[in-house]
Amino acid sequence: MTFEDPPRKPAGVTVGETLDLLSVQELEDRLRLLEDEIVRVKAMITSKRASKSAADAFFRS
């Protein structure tokens, strides 16, 4: 990779994509990826809320 190469979009799920042509296995794989992403997003929300609470407590004093 050189600096001129555009960044590659990681392979994964495209929200809103047509599902009609996917097999059951592909749908299950897709669901697993989405569930993993939900867990990751929820963990980030928890982390950001904790940071905000800590900052709020610090500046309230």
Side-chain angles (χ1 to χ4, degrees), residues 47-61:
S47 173
K48 287 183 177 273
R49 283 185 178 154
S51 294
K52 184 178 182 321
S53 293
D56 288 346
F58 178 79
F59 288 110
R60 244 183 260 146
S61 303

Side-chain angles (χ1 to χ4, degrees), residues 10-54:
V13 174
T14 303
V15 175
E17 174 179 31
T18 301
L19 304 175
D20 296 338
L21 300 177
L22 299 177
S23 69
V24 171
Q25 183 61 51
E26 289 170 322
L27 290 168
E28 289 172 345
D29 293 344
R30 179 185 179 93
L31 184 57
R32 199 171 307 109
L33 286 171
L34 289 168
E35 288 169 340
D36 290 346
E37 183 66 4
I38 288 169
V39 168
R40 190 175 78 91
V41 170
K42 285 183 177 182
M44 183 55 65
I45 288 170
T46 300
S47 173
K48 287 183 177 273
R49 283 185 178 154
S51 294
K52 184 178 182 321
S53 293

